[in-house]
């Protein structure tokens, strides 16, 4: 099977060892998890989350050789702390998040993540979720829709795009939406609908809210010396992770102009890499989607 992004780097920075406990919050097809379980043989354990039942079916099959060393849960990593309590795991030795849409989701037209083929405008990670991208496109007020496109897609012409969408409602397919956006924004180095599709996917799945929720949980449940690795694919996610890691690695977070510390904040982690780890040329050539991947890692003090 296709190897996940930054596979070797993840195994290197997480340093799986025998007897360790690990969490893969974005299990996908189980590629990273397979490597962690293999490196932590014979008795390392892993808890894997994913919101996509199709991905979980693939992961279960892939991780069968490890038997009950792999525990798989259908759900969001936002329930990390509660799930660990139920399992009786007080701390874990490593946590991984590989954020964004997976290749399996992107390559299935019926999931509605891509504009390369015509399909229903869906974009849900979990097909059981109530709200789809089509629901947002066809029900949100124009101003709110424009805000989503600007905030999550960094679309400079967000107001014009939102206005055009509202005028042509109902918009129910990926091709129709892509055509509307292209007519407003024109061409460029990337497809003109890329930012709009990114924004709607993030909003549909509440991705940034999920990341904000899990970051403090992950730091809390890490054991001393345990590591937390996050792969992000766009600036919004990476900014959240970077700012949180920087904050939690400082002894004082008072404003710079304040001469005396009053916050009482203490560093609980240190940054393993101040600059993000990026895929090498060989990986990018083999998997062009890896080119925007950024890996940040912290270790619990």
């Amino acid at each position: 099977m296709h190897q996940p992004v930054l596979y070797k780097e993840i195994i290197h920075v997480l340093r799986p060892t025998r007897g360790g406990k690990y969490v893969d919050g974005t299990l996908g097809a189980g590629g990273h998890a397979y490597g962690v379980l293999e490196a932590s043989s014979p008795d390392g354990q892993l808890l894997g989350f994913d919101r996509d039942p199709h991905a979980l079916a693939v992961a279960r099959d892939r991780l069968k050789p490890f038997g009950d060393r792999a525990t798989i849960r259908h759900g969001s990593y936002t329930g990390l702390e509660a799930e660990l309590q139920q399992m009786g795991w007080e701390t874990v030795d490593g946590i991984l998040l590989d954020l964004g849409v997976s290749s399996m989701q992107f390559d299935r037209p019926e999931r509605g993540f891509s504009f390369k083929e015509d399909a229903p405008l869906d974009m849900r990670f979990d097909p059981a979720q109530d709200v789809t991208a089509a629901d947002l496109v066809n029900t949100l007020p124009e101003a709110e829709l424009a805000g989503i496109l600007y905030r999550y897609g960094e679309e400079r012409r967000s107001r014009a795009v939102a206005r055009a969408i509202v005028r042509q409602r109902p918009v129910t397919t990926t091709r129709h939406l892509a055509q509307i956006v292209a007519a407003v924004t024109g061409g460029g180095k990337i497809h003109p609908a890329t930012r709009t599709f990114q924004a709607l996917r993030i909003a549909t799945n509440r991705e940034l809210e999920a990341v904000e929720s899990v970051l403090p949980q992950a730091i809390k449940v890490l054991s001393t010396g345990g590591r937390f690795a996050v792969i992000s694919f766009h600036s919004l996610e990476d900014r959240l992770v970077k700012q949180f890691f920087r904050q939690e690695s400082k002894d004082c977070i008072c404003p710079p102009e304040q001469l005396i510390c009053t916050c009482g904040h203490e560093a609980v982690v240190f940054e393993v890499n101040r600059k993000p780890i990026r895929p090498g040329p060989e990986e990018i050539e083999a998997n062009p989607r890896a080119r925007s991947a950024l890996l940040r890692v912290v270790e619990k003090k």
Side-chain angles (χ1 to χ4, degrees):
M1 297 182 68
H2 178 67
Q3 208 168 57
V5 172
L6 293 166
Y7 174 82
K8 293 180 180 178
E9 289 82 354
I10 285 295
I11 303 304
H12 175 72
V13 299
L14 285 185
R15 306 177 301 185
T17 57
R18 60 184 303 170
K21 291 183 173 68
Y22 303 92
V23 174
D24 187 340
T26 48
L27 191 60
H32 287 123
Y34 190 101
V36 170
L37 285 164
E38 188 174 48
S40 63
S41 293
D43 55 353
Q45 299 178 68
L46 179 135
L47 168 64
F49 292 92
D50 208 285
R51 296 169 64 183
D52 188 340
H54 302 290
L56 289 179
V58 176
R60 283 193 179 96
D61 186 61
R62 192 172 193 175
L63 301 179
K64 272 184 181 178
F66 301 104
D68 59 7
R69 291 176 56 205
T71 301
I72 297 175
R73 293 285 186 264
H74 177 214
S76 171
Y77 52 68
T78 56
L80 171 62
E81 194 172 0
E83 188 63 44
L84 291 180
Q85 288 176 353
Q86 289 186 11
M87 294 181 64
W89 290 12
E90 294 184 5
T91 60
V92 296
D93 302 296
I95 301 172
L96 164 66
L97 296 180
D98 183 359
L99 304 174
V101 63
S102 74
S103 294
M104 287 190 301
Q105 293 162 332
F106 199 81
D107 292 337
R108 296 183 66 174
E110 69 274 16
R111 301 297 298 275
F113 288 102
S114 172
F115 43 73
K116 292 183 179 180
E117 296 185 53
D118 200 21
L121 192 57
D122 193 320
M123 299 193 190
R124 293 172 296 177
F125 289 159
D126 185 350
Q129 176 183 302
D130 292 333
V131 178
T132 68
D135 292 327
L136 300 183
V137 164
N138 292 298
T139 63
L140 290 179
E142 182 181 315
E144 191 172 342
L145 181 58
I148 285 174
L149 301 184
Y150 183 78
R151 186 165 61 253
Y152 297 150
E154 299 177 298
E155 173 55 68
R156 289 174 293 180
R157 302 206 62 194
S158 58
R159 293 180 181 177
V161 172
R163 189 179 310 120
I165 290 172
V166 170
R167 284 175 180 169
Q168 297 199 42
R169 285 173 172 171
V171 181
T172 60
T173 68
T174 56
R175 181 168 294 168
H176 188 193
L177 178 60
Q179 289 170 346
I180 293 172
V181 179
V184 174
T185 61
K189 292 183 179 179
I190 63 173
H191 191 285
T194 299
R195 293 185 179 90
T196 292
F197 271 66
Q198 173 184 295
L200 289 172
R201 190 202 79 222
I202 291 172
T204 298
N205 297 288
R206 302 179 64 86
E207 294 176 43
L208 297 185
E209 292 94 328
V211 174
E212 287 180 316
S213 171
V214 77
L215 291 175
Q217 293 185 61
I219 297 299
K220 182 178 179 181
V221 301
L222 271 181
S223 60
T224 301
R227 289 189 168 186
F228 181 23
V230 183
I231 302 173
S232 57
F233 289 86
H234 59 74
S235 60
L236 299 176
E237 292 172 338
D238 183 60
R239 193 178 303 128
L240 276 177
V241 175
K242 175 183 176 180
Q243 290 175 348
F244 182 80
F245 283 0
R246 292 277 159 88
Q247 173 181 292
E248 295 308 307
S249 63
K250 293 179 179 178
D251 281 329
C252 174
I253 55 175
C254 292
E257 64 273 12
Q258 186 171 317
L259 299 179
I260 300 176
C261 175
T262 58
C263 67
H265 187 269
E266 294 184 2
V268 292
V269 299
F270 69 85
E271 293 181 277
V272 174
N273 56 314
R274 288 281 292 182
K275 293 184 178 181
I277 299 169
R278 300 172 183 268
E282 291 183 4
E283 180 171 2
I284 294 174
E285 184 177 356
N287 178 19
R289 291 178 186 168
R291 65 184 178 275
S292 57
L294 301 172
L295 169 60
R296 295 186 185 274
V297 187
V298 289
E299 181 175 315
K300 186 78 170 280
K301 288 189 172 184

